[in-house]
Amino acid sequence: MKMSRKTRLISALDLPELDQALAMVDRIGGAVEWYKVGKQLFTHYGPQVVRELKARGKKVFLDMKFHDIPNTVANAIRSGALIGGDIIDVHASGGPAMLAAAAEAMRETGAKVIGVTVLTSMDQAQLEAIGISATPQEQVLRLAHLVGDAGLSGVVCSALELPMLRKEMGEEFLTVVPGIRPAGVSAGDQKRIMTPRQAKEAGADFIVVGRPILADPEPAEAAARILQELA
Ligand code: C5P
């Protein structure tokens, strides 16, 4: 493993209102460059969320998890990149044709497109119910290979899968890892967690951190502590 890997912090902007979200971004200030905009905020406020972040010099992971026919997904990626998304995600289970179309759209833009493999809310029983007999881990690996073969940038993955994916997919495959908890911070509903430093050592390119920053009385300091761990 390369010890020189740079692991960046993405703060998940999981807040219901735009003014709240932007007040948080302004409060965190220069410490955090990357923000994840998810379906809650985007569905309510649309591209304005992204524009406001870009106006503040931020980079945006547009977490839309697109999953549709290839043409629709490719066009959605073009739109996402046009409004300023720097990283955009799709469901890898959309299949090779959809991933190939996503990769083609990605190459026309400056954005990176990553695949979501198996949602962490899916266990063996949930997979079986939709006709998949593979274990979650086997399914993650299968989908990661589809993502890599299509030429997409990488995947969103859990801390638990990170070492396996780094080993199987090589050093260049982008890994974006949620479920991160600095030492001493409540795990909340996250079960398979890593500290920022452990994620860096396991080969994460990006860690996604929500509540440990948003719920801290001093969010800028919480972010600074995480960055210190990553340094
Ligand atoms: O607050 P917390 O740090 O748990 O937030 C993590 C963020 O990453 C949330 O936006 C959550 O939806 C997202 N995420 C996750 N686990 C996944 C995929 C996404 O926690 N497997």
Side-chain angles (χ1 to χ4, degrees), residues 74-151:
N75 285 330
I77 287 167
R78 291 184 183 101
S79 293
L82 202 66
I83 65 167
D86 297 288
I87 298 178
I88 304 171
D89 57 356
V90 302
H91 271 290
S93 52
M98 191 203 84
L99 296 173
E104 195 185 325
M106 177 183 87
R107 285 190 288 269
E108 295 165 16
T109 71
K112 291 191 186 307
V113 178
I114 57 176
V116 174
T117 57
V118 179
L119 293 173
T120 44
S121 54
M122 299 289 282
D123 57 13
Q124 188 84 57
Q126 296 283 316
L127 286 180
E128 272 166 21
I130 58 166
I132 294 166
S133 54
T135 65
Q137 184 147 337
E138 287 165 350
Q139 186 68 1
V140 165
L141 197 54
R142 167 186 285 263
L143 292 171
H145 276 293
L146 289 185
V147 164
D149 291 348

Side-chain angles (χ1 to χ4, degrees), residues 12-14 36 38 63 65 116 118-121 156-158 177-181 187 189-190 192 208-214:
L13 212 42
D14 293 329
K36 179 170 88 73
D63 182 21
K65 296 189 179 68
V116 174
V118 179
L119 293 173
T120 44
S121 54
V156 182
C157 68
S158 79
V177 185
I180 300 294
R181 289 294 177 269
D189 54 4
Q190 296 282 15
R192 296 174 295 190
V208 178
V209 181
R211 288 161 289 180
I213 296 174
L214 302 185

